[in-house]
Amino acid sequence: MSKAYSALGGFFEYLNDDCGYQEWSQYLIKRLQSLGVSAGACGVDAGCGNGYFTRALQRAGYSVLGVDISSEMLNKATELSRKEGLRPKFIQGDITALELNFKPDFIVAVNDCLNYVPQNKLAKTFSRIYKLLKKVGAFIFDISSENKLKNVIANNVFAEDREDISYTWFNTLQDDRVLMDITVFTRRNDGLYERRDESHTQYIHCESEVVSALQAAGFSVECEGHLGGDKSQRINFICKKQ
């Protein structure tokens, strides 16, 4: 079983084309602006995936560095950016051990990045991000909620079949996490399909515990649901360095 996104990394944005990327990115930009982070500011898109939000932020006038732990994700992010005539910088890195050679005005981590961080690493990760940011810097991220991971994802099977890629996704609840086993079939140039298997672990975080860890790191925190609405499946944490 291969590491997370070794097979899916090049297809992530393509397979999530129904998630409302445009509206989501505009929500993110408006929330940054609400924290006083306007166009011209420099920031980091941590767990950037295939770079949709990195590109959207750059188009909105921000200077953005995309960071992801998956080289497959980053290769596709670079390809998609160049197709759009954009050239943000992408580097491989882990949000729990993020190292930068500049002080960003903001850091964002969109679409479950923090669900890949174990509970015992959250406090240290938040403290690290706090220290990296400029004074009064902003940190915005989301998590899949307890309800979503326990009652929608866990102990369930999902599948999708497209012309060039198919996958099956098996999910098992185990204490404070969901174990995800994914089998991916991708179409080769000769028309045959290649099978690859990968595993993921997403950790279930309690909203109140996340808020406590953020406040202990020094952030002021506001919580709201997806796009500012319902919290049942996704929770956004809007944080400001004090």
Side-chain angles (χ1 to χ4, degrees), residues 50 73-83 86 88 90:
N50 291 162
M73 285 283 210
L74 294 172
N75 289 340
K76 190 66 176 182
T78 301
E79 176 190 329
L80 292 173
S81 295
R82 288 176 177 171
K83 282 183 178 179
L86 301 170
F90 293 102

Side-chain angles (χ1 to χ4, degrees), residues 191-211:
L192 298 178
Y193 283 79
E194 179 180 358
R195 172 177 172 166
R196 298 177 68 184
D197 299 285
E198 64 182 47
S199 62
H200 300 229
T201 300
Q202 286 203 10
Y203 297 89
I204 300 168
H205 298 309
C206 170
E207 178 183 347
S208 61
E209 291 175 357
V210 174
V211 170

Side-chain angles (χ1 to χ4, degrees), residues 105-167:
D105 296 294
F106 68 91
I107 294 176
V108 297
V110 190
N111 200 2
D112 297 348
C113 176
L114 270 296
N115 285 108
Y116 285 91
V117 178
Q119 290 86 347
N120 62 6
K121 289 188 176 182
L122 274 183
K124 185 176 179 180
T125 299
F126 294 154
S127 293
R128 189 179 194 91
I129 288 171
Y130 186 92
K131 291 173 183 176
L132 287 171
L133 285 165
K134 285 182 182 178
K135 188 176 181 180
V136 303
F139 177 36
I140 299 179
F141 69 96
D142 62 72
I143 59 171
S144 282
S145 67
E146 288 183 87
N147 173 61
K148 178 182 176 182
L149 287 175
K150 288 182 177 179
N151 301 314
V152 179
I153 302 298
N155 303 320
N156 221 329
V157 179
F158 301 89
E160 186 169 359
D161 181 22
R162 300 197 185 190
E163 185 176 348
D164 50 354
I165 182 171
S166 300
Y167 69 84

